[in-house]
Amino acid sequence: MNLSAALSILFVASASAFVPAGTVRTSVPLYAGSNQNPFGNTASLEYTGGSDPNNKNYGKLAEKLNEADIERRKIQEEADRRERAAEIRREERLAKIKYMNDMPDSQPAGTVDEFMFKEGVQDQLDKLDNDLVGLLAVKKRVKEIAALLVLDKMRRKLGFETSVPSLHMSFTGAPGTGKTTVAVRMGQILAKMGYARRGHVVLATRDDLVGQYVGHTAPKTKEMIKKAMGGVLLVDEAYYLYNAANDRDYGQESIEILLNVMENNQDDLVVAVAGYKDRMDKFFSYIPGMMSRIGNHIDFPNYTADELVKIAGVMSRDLEYDIDDAAFLAFKGYIEARMELPFFSNARTVRNAM
């Protein structure tokens, strides 16, 4: 036995001599309780939050992966939907081509007049003739627009590719020349042809569209547009929407909303602007985007004295009055005198006189 081993035995024996009799040595855990985590009573890798305001940006990895998977599925479903829609359009186009190839050349397609009568458009044109005295150029233009819409519908029924023409309109002329009446009839024609859901007409002015303070214009304009959806929004004296002398005028905001709706909702809303011709031309020069979106411009000339007398006869008939020839001559003299005065309003002046 070497010296180091002997010394080790001696030290152990000496330490044992000082241990009290009956003492049992046991191991005691450093941390009491079921959780042996020295950093607290929760799992050491579990995030428990804190006072950092950016805590809401943090999350469990599993939750983030699940959200990413859901988003990926949505993108894939949208791509599948678009692909299916494109496939349906291709199938419809092939069906149209087959239909056209199989159609015999002797197949009658019908005429525009026949479709006008069948769709009820001719009835609205007849009512326009009865409602308005004179204005032959206006009636001709309305019939041309109606014929174009009928032809577009005939092409669709035969399977041809078509695109809806711009239906937005501009009515220029003095007050009392029948602009509102034509707008009403056009709305009903569009409804008969399926280009408008309801065909009603909502009349609006600057007071209906432009607010008095910041943040007031957009809600007013959108409310009027909402009322006119499915029909015609007739903006009377539209040039008052734009004030070139005031850069802070709120009318510009209303114009921008109207332009956006005319472009994006042209299949559900027809916007018609009306006013004096010279002022409307100046308005279009300030707002070229408005001019480019309007496809139908109709000019309403002033009535002649004889036409205004005929209008008086129609009004008297509707009111169940009889006017003799002498009264008509007197009324014609009155109208001719009124035409020389300012603020003459054509049929509106006749209505007030009646």
Side-chain angles (χ1 to χ4, degrees), residues 79-228:
D80 294 341
R81 187 191 64 79
R82 290 196 299 267
E83 183 177 354
R84 178 56 184 160
E87 181 65 24
I88 292 175
R89 288 194 296 270
R90 285 193 295 270
E91 292 175 356
E92 291 177 347
R93 180 172 177 80
L94 292 175
K96 289 179 179 180
I97 293 175
K98 184 178 183 303
Y99 175 75
M100 295 297 296
N101 291 332
D102 295 342
M103 181 185 300
D105 294 337
S106 59
Q107 176 71 26
T111 64
V112 172
D113 291 337
E114 292 174 354
F115 270 76
M116 278 191 174
F117 180 79
K118 185 186 301 182
E119 300 294 338
V121 176
Q122 188 60 48
D123 181 56
Q124 297 299 324
L125 295 176
D126 293 340
K127 289 181 179 179
L128 184 64
D129 282 334
N130 294 330
D131 292 343
L132 291 182
V133 174
L135 298 181
L136 298 181
V138 173
K139 294 176 181 177
K140 180 182 177 182
R141 181 59 180 149
V142 172
K143 291 179 180 178
E144 290 173 350
I145 296 173
L148 177 62
L149 297 179
V150 169
L151 182 61
D152 178 74
K153 192 168 184 179
M154 293 172 62
R155 287 175 57 86
R156 278 188 290 167
K157 286 187 175 182
L158 291 174
F160 287 101
E161 292 293 334
T162 62
S163 60
V164 179
S166 175
L167 299 176
H168 303 306
M169 305 176 190
S170 170
F171 298 156
T172 55
T177 51
K179 297 187 291 295
T180 303
T181 302
V182 171
V184 171
R185 292 302 172 204
M186 282 303 304
Q188 293 170 345
I189 290 174
L190 295 175
K192 292 287 185 181
M193 295 299 301
Y195 291 97
R197 290 184 289 110
R198 299 166 60 188
H200 65 299
V201 176
V202 175
L203 180 63
T205 62
R206 176 186 168 91
D207 292 339
D208 300 312
L209 300 171
V210 182
Q212 302 298 320
Y213 50 84
V214 176
H216 192 209
T217 297
K220 292 187 68 173
T221 302
K222 292 178 180 179
E223 180 64 24
M224 295 302 297
I225 291 174
K226 182 179 179 181
K227 292 180 181 179

Side-chain angles (χ1 to χ4, degrees), residues 35-49:
N35 186 7
Q36 297 299 312
N37 186 357
F39 299 102
N41 294 327
T42 58
S44 60
L45 296 180
E46 182 178 350
Y47 180 74
T48 59

